[in-house]
Amino acid sequence: MDNSGNPQRLKLLSYNIQAGIDTRHYRQYLTQSWKQVLPHRERINNLDRIASVIHGYDVVGLQEVDSGSLRSGFVDQTEYLAHRAGFPYWYKQVNRSLGKFAQNSNGLLSRLRPTGISEHKLPGLPGRGVIVSSFGGEEGLNVCIMHLSLGRRARLRQVAFVRELVSDLRHVVVMGDLNFGCDSQEMRLLTAGGSLHQPACEMNTFPSWRPIRKIDHILVSGSLQVDNPKVVEYPLSDHLPIGIDVLVPTDLQLAA
């Protein structure tokens, strides 16, 4: 709550940054595939551009972040973006470690001090996980950041896991690259019973240069009011980032 007694407005963003690779065409998945294993000088410049996009948000969930390996020039990209964009709190979850060659991770950037952070491995093959960050204690706001599998069978297991994970949380946000659309079985399972809903499904996010699919999502519990859902039109990855404003109930006391 601000000094006027109005609900606190938090600006949230979810962004798959593709390890800092600036992909503009399908053919670049082949012609620039070497960037997934080797460093290149434009990666830092692209991270700087990403930092300028995320600077205006309060809580950012990142997917496909590298936590410091050969391909990133041994730069922890979550930490780098936190410093460049002025976020005092950050956290990384390494989900797939390929030694010095790649450190595939989820990341959290926050202007609010989390009162708790936990991480969970998702069902299926190793390499997928969830960060759960709490703001204001157990009864406060809980933000879950994840990147789900490409395979549908694994995704259904992962969605069931996430549903159970958030079932006892009153105020919750689920965000990330979920790799399924709004009309999918996975979305129906995740939103069954009305505990979570997707405020805007008409805004496509992938591929960034000509978006035809909505596979990046921010879902919220019914206890939260939302405003200004949008896709941010900055194609600096193969995904476009998505943002939303959450109006935090006045009874929640979030740490500054």
Side-chain angles (χ1 to χ4, degrees), residues 5 16 30 42 46 83 89 96 101 105 142 144 171 227 240:
N16 180 326
L30 178 62
E42 284 300 315
N46 199 46
H83 294 324
Y89 306 103
R96 186 183 299 115
F101 297 105
S105 308
N142 294 274
C144 307
H171 307 296
D227 190 22
L240 292 175

Side-chain angles (χ1 to χ4, degrees), residues 115-120 130-146 161-175 190 193-197 219-224 249 252:
T115 52
I117 296 179
S118 61
E119 60 178 73
H120 308 266
V130 183
I131 299 173
V132 181
S133 54
S134 301
F135 302 91
E138 292 183 0
E139 295 299 315
L141 178 67
N142 294 274
V143 178
C144 307
I145 301 162
M146 64 199 70
F161 178 90
V162 172
R163 278 199 63 185
E164 179 66 23
L165 184 65
V166 304
S167 61
D168 294 329
L169 301 178
R170 181 182 176 193
H171 307 296
V172 63
V173 175
V174 171
M175 64 163 68
L190 191 56
S195 58
L196 290 171
H197 69 279
L219 298 97
V220 300
S221 57
S223 64
L224 297 171
L252 294 188

Side-chain angles (χ1 to χ4, degrees), residues 104-256:
N104 296 310
S105 308
N106 294 327
L108 163 72
L109 309 176
S110 179
R111 303 197 184 281
L112 301 175
R113 178 176 57 83
T115 52
I117 296 179
S118 61
E119 60 178 73
H120 308 266
K121 298 299 183 184
L122 286 168
L125 295 175
R128 305 287 179 174
V130 183
I131 299 173
V132 181
S133 54
S134 301
F135 302 91
E138 292 183 0
E139 295 299 315
L141 178 67
N142 294 274
V143 178
C144 307
I145 301 162
M146 64 199 70
H147 186 188
L148 301 190
S149 293
L150 293 174
R152 185 180 184 189
R153 181 178 298 181
R155 285 199 307 268
L156 286 169
R157 293 177 60 199
Q158 291 166 358
V159 167
F161 178 90
V162 172
R163 278 199 63 185
E164 179 66 23
L165 184 65
V166 304
S167 61
D168 294 329
L169 301 178
R170 181 182 176 193
H171 307 296
V172 63
V173 175
V174 171
M175 64 163 68
D177 177 359
L178 304 187
N179 271 316
F180 57 73
C182 293
D183 297 325
S184 65
Q185 182 180 356
E186 296 94 316
M187 182 63 80
R188 291 193 296 272
L189 176 61
L190 191 56
T191 58
S195 58
L196 290 171
H197 69 279
Q198 160 67 278
C201 254
E202 70 279 5
M203 305 173 184
N204 295 327
T205 62
F206 181 85
S208 61
W209 55 91
R210 193 179 65 181
I212 57 175
R213 300 174 63 198
K214 176 66 179 286
I215 59 175
D216 302 90
H217 301 277
I218 301 178
L219 298 97
V220 300
S221 57
S223 64
L224 297 171
Q225 291 182 288
V226 300
D227 190 22
N228 196 31
K230 62 182 178 180
V231 171
V232 183
E233 297 289 342
Y234 284 93
L236 302 174
S237 163
D238 59 345
H239 291 245
L240 292 175
I242 54 174
I244 197 168
D245 294 357
V246 171
L247 305 180
V248 178
T250 55
D251 61 333
L252 294 188
Q253 298 295 321
L254 304 185

Side-chain angles (χ1 to χ4, degrees), residues 79-90:
E79 180 179 14
Y80 183 87
L81 288 172
H83 294 324
R84 291 292 295 179
F87 288 90
Y89 306 103
W90 61 274

